[in-house]
Amino acid sequence: MNRRPVIAGNWKMNVTAGEAESLLNQLKAELAAVGDVEIIVCPSFTTLAVACQRLAGTGINVGAQNMHWEAEGAYTGEVSGPMLSDLGCGYVILGHSERRAYFGESDGDVNKKLFVALKHKLTPIVCVGETLTEKEAGRTEAVCEQQIRGSLANLTPGDLEQIIIAYEPVWAIGTGRTATPGDAQAVIGFIRNLLRTDFGSAADKVRILYGGSVKPDNIAGLMAEADIDGGLVGGASLDPAGFAQIVKYKD
Ligand code: PEP
């Protein structure tokens, strides 16, 4: 199955709107000619507008790192799906492990957000992955299964084809410790099989990314695996030259 590769950068709580100008210019210069990879950058909320303006028409897409599960209302401090679409965002990360760990985000929350995102033409990037304790207890598959089934509850096969999934083992995020390509493939292959059971052939169309200390020197090995369709890149996405190298992993 021919699935278009995706490389997404998660800037996390870094880069002010002012600081973004030079980073965005460098990304535009480095990535102007890339056509065979779907490129997404996910700045913080306050930097989204400038990113959408500067990257319009470049082929580099913009995503948010989170959103609320209601389209509007009395939710002080929150940002909604329609607000993101209105800016020109096309993607939103949902259920990142940092949101699950520090803000108590549950699979049920992710599930509610997923439907609002799809309704407002945002492609959700749904994150799942086990902690070190869960890995050491041999619970990786059970944890991923629970997160996938909880986050994707009531989705149709047609909806599944519209979303992106990211397998991000928590122990590999920001630690410099990457899963080996073989280990990442084993879990991502497990997730795709699970999706096949629940959604049939749509499972062969959904893109599943690996995330966790992806760097220019390990991306090619990961991308060589049959079920790995791209990378969700945190720390390394803040360096435009390094991020461009990751996007151009085939070169
Ligand atoms: C992430 O935050 O999604 C991530 C994978 O971070 P890092 O690449 O820094 O491990």
Side-chain angles (χ1 to χ4, degrees):
M1 176 64 62
N2 220 358
R3 294 180 293 264
R4 188 168 188 230
V6 179
I7 301 289
N10 172 12
W11 292 4
K12 310 198 186 196
M13 197 174 70
N14 298 293
V15 189
T16 64
E19 289 165 349
E21 296 278 359
S22 91
L23 214 160
L24 294 167
N25 283 338
Q26 288 177 69
L27 283 179
K28 272 192 332 195
E30 299 265 7
L31 297 174
V34 177
D36 52 352
V37 173
E38 197 163 310
I39 310 167
I40 309 161
V41 294
C42 302
S44 57
F45 287 132
T46 55
T47 302
L48 283 174
V50 71
C52 288
Q53 283 157 13
R54 300 296 182 273
L55 296 177
T58 63
I60 305 173
N61 303 282
V62 180
Q65 298 171 17
N66 180 36
M67 56 170 256
H68 196 262
W69 60 74
E70 291 289 351
E72 61 183 7
Y75 297 100
T76 303
E78 291 292 320
V79 171
S80 74
M83 292 171 181
L84 299 174
S85 314
D86 176 60
L87 278 183
C89 278
Y91 299 77
V92 61
I93 299 173
L94 297 180
H96 190 280
S97 63
E98 287 153 14
R99 296 223 46 94
R100 292 174 185 268
Y102 304 137
F103 303 99
E105 201 159 302
S106 66
D107 295 326
D109 296 334
V110 175
N111 187 244
K112 286 190 281 185
K113 293 178 183 195
L114 185 60
F115 286 99
V116 179
L118 288 170
K119 182 169 175 198
H120 294 281
K121 309 275 177 262
L122 296 162
T123 299
I125 303 173
V126 177
C127 302
V128 300
E130 81 287 2
T131 63
L132 185 58
T133 312
E134 289 163 342
K135 175 184 163 63
E136 286 173 350
R139 299 194 57 241
T140 297
E141 292 188 354
V143 168
C144 290
E145 179 170 333
Q146 187 181 346
Q147 291 180 343
I148 287 282
R149 289 209 159 123
S151 302
L152 308 191
N154 303 315
L155 212 64
T156 65
D159 289 338
L160 184 76
E161 292 177 19
Q162 306 305 315
I163 77 169
I164 296 172
I165 294 171
Y167 166 59
E168 299 206 301
V170 180
W171 48 268
I173 295 182
T175 58
R177 203 180 147 191
T178 324
T180 63
D183 286 349
Q185 163 61 33
V187 181
I188 290 176
F190 166 79
I191 291 172
R192 199 178 299 284
N193 271 332
L194 182 68
L195 294 173
R196 223 170 258 134
T197 306
D198 291 358
F199 296 93
S201 61
D204 293 303
K205 300 204 177 123
V206 65
R207 274 90 56 86
I208 311 182
L209 318 183
Y210 167 79
S213 297
V214 171
K215 301 276 182 309
D217 62 4
N218 58 28
I219 184 69
L222 290 158
M223 292 304 288
E225 296 291 341
D227 285 296
I228 303 182
D229 303 315
L232 179 52
V233 186
S237 70
L238 294 169
D239 164 26
F243 186 67
Q245 272 181 274
I246 294 173
V247 171
K248 298 178 194 170
Y249 66 90
K250 286 185 199 143
D251 292 2

